[in-house]
Amino acid sequence: MKGKADTSKKGEGRLKAAGGASKRKKDAAAAGKPKRPPSAFFVFMSEFRQQYNAENPNNKSVANVSKAAGEKWRAMSDEEKAPYVEKAEQKKKDYEKTKATFDNKESASSKKAKTQNDEEVKSEVEDEGSDE
């Protein structure tokens, strides 16, 4: 048929690309890198989700919770959103402190590793030079 592509090759490529990306994410998480802070909406969402699930114990749909949260968030005034914005700002400040500490440790360890690698390379070069 004209217009239809071979989807088996396309799907395989997507799976490979997705697998590579998830591996990188796991490596970053394993390295102890701090997670980015949630926005004000996500701070609200975490509280709203608990409240919604308590009021609707039979609901199994994540989409329903998200829709209800979005509708409520849009209906809220800036004064009602203020506590969530403040919490989000505080979490962002904490994140920046944690990230700065992480970056300092990371740069110190990478400098140390680079120094060790340079020394190993120099010793290998010296060893090769003495063989001749």
Side-chain angles (χ1 to χ4, degrees), residues 99-115:
K99 187 171 185 325
T101 304
F102 175 79
D103 289 342
N104 289 340
K105 288 180 182 177
E106 197 64 24
S107 64
S109 67
S110 65
K111 286 179 185 176
K112 185 178 178 182
K114 184 177 181 191
T115 305

Side-chain angles (χ1 to χ4, degrees), residues 56-85:
N56 303 300
N58 295 330
N59 180 43
K60 301 291 183 201
S61 174
V62 175
N64 289 343
V65 178
S66 299
K67 284 181 186 178
E71 289 171 6
K72 185 171 181 180
W73 180 257
R74 284 188 293 274
M76 292 170 69
S77 66
D78 288 342
E79 294 83 30
E80 292 173 318
K81 292 179 183 179
Y84 303 109
V85 172

Side-chain angles (χ1 to χ4, degrees), residues 42-100:
F42 283 100
V43 172
F44 162 76
M45 185 71 176
S46 66
E47 291 182 15
F48 180 82
R49 187 179 300 112
Q50 293 172 353
Q51 180 184 11
Y52 188 86
N53 287 336
E55 293 172 2
N56 303 300
N58 295 330
N59 180 43
K60 301 291 183 201
S61 174
V62 175
N64 289 343
V65 178
S66 299
K67 284 181 186 178
E71 289 171 6
K72 185 171 181 180
W73 180 257
R74 284 188 293 274
M76 292 170 69
S77 66
D78 288 342
E79 294 83 30
E80 292 173 318
K81 292 179 183 179
Y84 303 109
V85 172
E86 289 174 19
K87 287 179 185 177
E89 287 174 358
Q90 183 59 43
K91 289 184 180 207
K92 185 175 182 180
K93 288 177 187 175
D94 294 342
Y95 165 77
E96 288 171 353
K97 289 178 187 176
T98 306
K99 187 171 185 325

Side-chain angles (χ1 to χ4, degrees), residues 119-132:
E119 291 172 0
E120 290 174 7
V121 170
K122 285 180 185 177
S123 66
E124 288 176 5
V125 169
E126 290 172 1
D127 290 344
E128 288 176 5
S130 62
D131 288 343
E132 293 176 6

Side-chain angles (χ1 to χ4, degrees), residues 2-57:
K2 192 173 185 180
K4 278 205 167 192
D6 185 8
T7 56
S8 63
K9 290 181 183 177
K10 236 184 217 183
E12 290 173 9
R14 288 183 187 156
L15 291 175
K16 287 179 185 176
S22 65
K23 184 177 181 182
R24 275 185 251 125
K25 287 180 184 178
K26 288 179 186 176
D27 291 344
K33 185 175 180 180
K35 289 177 63 174
R36 291 180 60 193
S39 67
F41 174 73
F42 283 100
V43 172
F44 162 76
M45 185 71 176
S46 66
E47 291 182 15
F48 180 82
R49 187 179 300 112
Q50 293 172 353
Q51 180 184 11
Y52 188 86
N53 287 336
E55 293 172 2
N56 303 300

